[in-house]
Every structure is written in structure tokens, then in C-alpha cells.
Amino acid sequence: MDMRIAALDGEARQRDLIQHAMESVGHVCRGFRDGKSLLRELPERGFDLLILEWNLADTRGLGLVSWIREQLDSRLPILFLVDRHDEKDMIDGMAAGADDFTVKPIRVGELQARVGALLRRTYPGPHEPEQLFGAYRFCAATRTLKVRGKAVELSHREYELARFLFQNLGRLLPRDHLRQAVWGDSLEPFSRSLDTHISRLRSKLELTPSNGFLLSAVYGLGYRFEAIDGDALMPLGRWSNADE
């Protein structure tokens, strides 16, 4: 999947590194040294993904994300680059509308993997009709989820929420980030709909420690979905035929 990527970083060496990392996996990458130059070209270029430095000389990445989400395509995937592993910075960025983050200094392999995951999640292709997480199989073409071969009846929002949780196993997911990823801007910030959907998924998909998963609320922050048993992510083929 060859995509057009914009990389905003105030350091020339970092921009060159990002461009090389993206172009080496087949993407087209254009570098920007400041927020103003990016904003001038962003509406016309039609980029598929943005990589933004957190702190810039002329603006903060946080303000750029907020502006982009308000003025342009609200679904454009955005990856933040932060100077340190500060959970507050990550939460602020996610709340503003970023989709993921990585820590500087940049590790090329990790950057390529995170960008690839964001692109697959945002632009699922016909050659990637299914995603497999152990006994859980997501089919993008029919928007169905099967558990050990049996389809589970889910609403549109439940399906999107379940897929997003599995794609982000092990990560802290702020409430605002979950809300925007699944509902866009249509869900009120203080709505209990998110908690209701989480509760239903726990029940429908049996997301319990006895089945190898833990979906827990992190007080004041959001949710964390974890595989606490390695066997929980075994390929479907390792289940017995009776289960399938």
C-alpha cells in the first residue's frame, strides 16, 4: 500500500531519517520544517498520513492536531513524535485527536511498523479482508466477527470498538481517543455510551481473565485491553475442530 505521507520535524536530520524510513517501504514522503509550511500545503496535497513532532519552533504539535481535526479531514491518521516517554504528553496528544505516538530518538523499524498499522487500520484493502487475533477473526468485507468459527451478533459500533481494542492490545486508550476513533465527533464527551458498549463487549465476546483477556478501566484515564495468557492469541488452527 503506497501512500503519501507528510513529516513535520524541526530537525533536518530527523526529517531525512523519516523520509528514508518511509520511502524504503514504498511510500512517498514530503518533509516540512515548520507548521506554517505544512498548513499551506495540507489542504491541497491530499496526504494519507501525518507524522508530527510534538514541540516545534513556531507552534506545538498539539495545536496543529486540534486545528486539523476541526478544519480538515477528521479521519486523517496522525502519528506524534515525542522527546520522552511521558504518559501525560501521550494522553494530551490522543485527546486532541492523534492516533498513535512514538518516542525520539526514532527507531526506524518501530516507526515503519506503527505507520503500517495506522495505514492498514484506516485504509483496509481488499487484499486484507480478515484480521486474526487468536480465536477472534474480523472480516472487514462483511463487517463480521467470529469467535472460534461462530459469528457473534454485534452492532456497527460494537464491531468497530471491538476491532479497535484488539488492534491496540496492551496500550492505554484514553476515553476521548476511544470516543473519537469509534464515534468520530458524534458522541458527547460525558456520554455513558462508551461504558455501555464496553460492558456489552465483555459479555458478548467473553473478554475475561479465564479466557486469557483483561479489559480494565484505568481510573480518570480510559481503558486498557490486555492478553494475559499467551495461549489466548494462538492461531485458530490450534483450536480443536469441535470449537471451530
Side-chain angles (χ1 to χ4, degrees):
M1 177 162 46
D2 299 341
M3 294 293 187
R4 294 161 296 178
I5 296 172
L8 173 60
D9 197 298
E11 300 178 32
R13 290 177 61 186
Q14 292 293 322
R15 288 198 305 275
D16 290 344
L17 178 61
I18 295 170
Q19 286 184 268
H20 175 73
M22 295 297 95
E23 291 171 357
S24 67
V25 291
H27 302 308
V28 175
C29 185
R30 179 172 174 79
F32 296 88
R33 67 179 182 180
D34 57 62
K36 290 181 181 179
S37 59
L38 171 65
L39 292 178
R40 280 197 300 267
E41 296 195 28
L42 192 57
E44 301 176 0
R45 292 282 181 173
F47 292 108
D48 299 301
L49 181 141
L50 305 182
I51 300 174
L52 305 180
E53 185 184 7
W54 178 266
N55 288 311
L56 297 159
D58 63 336
T59 185
R60 291 194 72 205
L62 193 63
L64 278 174
V65 172
S66 298
W67 187 90
I68 290 167
R69 289 297 183 232
E70 291 172 3
Q71 303 295 327
L72 300 177
D73 183 357
S74 64
R75 305 306 298 169
L76 183 67
I78 299 175
L79 176 76
F80 255 136
L81 302 176
V82 297
D83 289 324
R84 61 190 183 282
H85 203 298
D86 189 320
E87 192 164 67
K88 182 181 184 304
D89 285 351
M90 181 273 287
I91 292 172
D92 288 345
M94 296 296 199
D99 298 282
D100 201 355
F101 79 104
T102 191
V103 179
K104 297 172 70 174
I106 295 169
R107 292 181 293 183
V108 170
E110 179 182 355
L111 179 64
Q112 291 171 337
R114 289 188 180 276
V115 167
L118 276 179
L119 291 172
R120 288 192 298 272
R121 189 166 76 217
T122 309
Y123 312 104
H127 58 288
E128 297 176 312
E130 295 187 347
Q131 289 181 299
L132 183 63
F133 302 88
Y136 297 80
R137 186 185 296 271
F138 291 83
C139 181
T142 59
R143 303 185 65 78
T144 56
L145 169 58
K146 293 183 178 181
V147 182
R148 299 190 183 113
K150 296 181 180 179
V152 179
E153 185 175 346
L154 297 174
S155 69
H156 168 77
R157 297 299 185 192
E158 288 170 342
Y159 173 85
E160 288 297 325
L161 180 57
R163 187 175 67 163
F164 191 75
L165 288 171
F166 274 95
Q167 289 172 334
N168 289 275
L169 270 167
R171 296 178 55 204
L172 172 65
L173 297 171
R175 294 178 60 85
D176 285 347
H177 184 40
L178 277 167
R179 177 174 61 85
Q180 187 172 63
V182 179
W183 281 267
D185 296 323
S186 63
L187 185 66
E188 292 298 322
F190 300 105
S191 170
R192 304 305 295 177
S193 182
L194 173 60
D195 302 308
T196 300
H197 279 71
I198 289 285
S199 178
R200 288 176 180 168
L201 283 182
R202 276 200 189 101
S203 176
K204 288 185 176 183
L205 304 184
E206 300 180 29
L207 303 176
T208 61
S210 61
N211 284 330
F213 289 98
L214 179 63
L215 177 55
S216 56
V218 180
Y219 182 75
L221 297 177
Y223 288 91
R224 191 187 301 274
F225 183 44
E226 301 172 279
I228 60 177
D229 180 355
D231 289 342
L233 292 179
M234 69 173 65
L236 268 176
R238 290 180 59 189
W239 293 99
S240 69
N241 291 334
D243 288 331
E244 296 181 12

